[in-house]
Amino acid sequence: MTITNTEPAFRCLSLGAGVQSSLLLILAAQGHLPKIEYALFSDTGWEPRSVYAHLDRLEREVAAPAGIKVFRVSSGNIRRDALDPDHRFASMPLFIKNPDGGDGMTRRQCTGEYKIKPLKAKVRELLGYPYPARIPAGVFVEQWIGISRDEFHRAKDADVRYMRNRFPLLDLDLTREDCLRLLAENGFPDTPKSSCLGCPFHSDRQWRQIRDQSPEEWADVVSFDAAIRAGSARANATGSPLLGSAYLHRSRLPLDQAPIDRLSRAERRGQQLDLLPLADADEDDEPGGCSPWACRGDAA
């Protein structure tokens, strides 16, 4: 007879350092949720400076006093790897203008390679069964993922037996707006959205914020956008050039020429402005951050 454990070996938080996961860390540290042992931040190497600064503060002021160990795990630097002809690159979901004038997108492999892979490796290590060791049946961890009620459709089961996903914000029936309010009440009113600096799924508002608030990072993403016009350096070096032109912005224009000053309908409602051009329909709702386990591209 096989005996299956009903209790996890430990509880850990997938900490993207965005709105929802930051609140989960705070609630756990304050004792409003069960104790978690670890918080795992999967670093693509190209996160906004604001995210790294926020993560430092969370670790210093929230996690450490509560005895929660924060681990920063990584599979490499997504920006550097994309431009390295000697490195196999897990492609980003770039917008493509095909030679015939049609539109397309490259495959999205970055989430699996730069977010999920290092998280799984760390969980295995903490369990004491690093790859390729076999994890015994019934041994599992409870992994918390920050998905709020307004994004319930992004909640998914884990794809491995040794990880069981839990979504405490759904249990608490909290929306993203609830999370923002609670973060402000706890001294974190400026919690950033978590996603790669050059994520193609940025909204126009996010692109504007980078351009207007962080000129150095804007220059960085504009430079990267130009550098990937012909696809990844590895593909070109191995004789598999992109058939078409690649862009970070959905308009399929160079980023510094893209129409990012268009306001979404939500922004118009909030600011009561009628003077600036309106964004496309897919900009109506401002997307949240990018969870390793629920990339916003899954709904695209």
Side-chain angles (χ1 to χ4, degrees):
M1 181 177 65
T2 300
I3 299 177
T4 302
N5 294 333
T6 58
E7 289 296 316
F10 58 81
R11 294 183 178 91
C12 65
L13 167 65
S14 177
L15 179 62
V19 169
Q20 285 94 334
S21 64
S22 293
L23 181 62
L24 282 180
L25 181 66
I26 291 171
L27 293 178
Q30 293 177 344
H32 299 300
L33 290 171
K35 178 176 173 57
I36 57 173
E37 285 78 12
Y38 309 111
L40 310 182
F41 175 79
S42 196
D43 186 3
T44 65
W46 201 27
E47 309 290 327
R49 284 196 296 259
S50 59
V51 169
Y52 289 121
H54 176 69
L55 177 64
D56 289 342
R57 186 185 171 200
L58 283 176
E59 185 171 10
R60 181 177 63 251
E61 298 181 16
V62 178
I68 300 170
K69 176 66 176 177
V70 175
F71 288 104
R72 307 183 190 207
V73 299
S74 177
S75 287
N77 183 300
I78 191 171
R79 187 193 194 283
R80 184 173 59 240
D81 293 348
L83 304 181
D84 183 355
D86 296 321
H87 193 283
R88 184 192 71 80
F89 178 61
S91 64
M92 300 169 64
L94 303 173
F95 296 96
I96 305 299
K97 177 62 70 176
N98 295 319
D100 63 2
D103 295 336
M105 288 194 75
T106 54
R107 294 176 58 196
R108 176 178 58 83
Q109 300 173 316
C110 51
T111 303
E113 181 70 19
Y114 290 93
K115 289 288 188 178
I116 295 176
K117 181 179 177 179
L119 289 175
K120 287 181 175 178
K122 189 63 182 181
V123 166
R124 276 180 156 273
E125 176 189 322
L126 292 171
L127 278 173
Y129 300 97
Y131 183 82
R134 181 181 178 276
I135 299 177
V139 174
F140 70 96
V141 305
E142 182 178 290
Q143 176 180 234
W144 290 9
I145 300 175
I147 292 180
S148 50
R149 189 183 73 201
D150 40 311
E151 298 179 332
F152 73 92
H153 57 280
R154 299 171 72 185
K156 298 180 177 67
D157 292 332
D159 61 356
V160 289
R161 291 184 302 176
Y162 60 86
M163 300 170 78
R164 297 186 186 177
N165 293 347
R166 182 183 171 190
F167 308 95
L169 296 178
L170 296 183
D171 297 335
L172 296 172
D173 198 32
L174 295 178
T175 66
R176 179 178 173 82
E177 288 302 314
D178 293 329
C179 294
L180 288 168
R181 173 178 54 79
L182 290 169
L183 284 168
E185 290 175 2
N186 282 277
F188 289 85
D190 300 317
T191 299
K193 291 181 179 177
S194 60
S195 61
C196 291
L197 190 60
C199 178
F201 292 128
H202 281 337
S203 68
D204 285 344
R205 181 191 296 188
Q206 288 171 288
W207 287 125
R208 287 198 304 274
Q209 287 176 337
I210 297 172
R211 181 195 64 189
D212 298 342
Q213 299 176 15
S214 184
E216 289 184 7
E217 290 183 319
W218 176 248
D220 184 26
V221 292
V222 167
S223 173
F224 180 80
D225 174 68
I228 51 85
R229 195 71 70 237
S232 76
R234 175 65 173 172
N236 284 279
T238 56
S240 302
L242 182 70
L243 299 179
S245 300
Y247 301 87
L248 287 181
H249 193 265
R250 60 175 53 84
S251 66
R252 294 166 176 85
L253 291 171
L255 188 56
D256 56 358
Q257 301 174 30
I260 65 173
D261 285 306
R262 304 171 301 177
L263 293 186
S264 68
R265 288 185 174 85
E267 289 177 285
R268 279 180 175 266
R269 288 193 296 268
Q271 299 182 24
Q272 296 182 342
L273 293 177
D274 296 318
L275 300 178
L276 294 179
L278 184 65
D280 292 337
D282 57 8
E283 285 287 305
D284 286 355
D285 297 315
E286 183 74 6
C290 183
S291 164
W293 306 98
C295 174
R296 71 186 74 153
D298 292 337

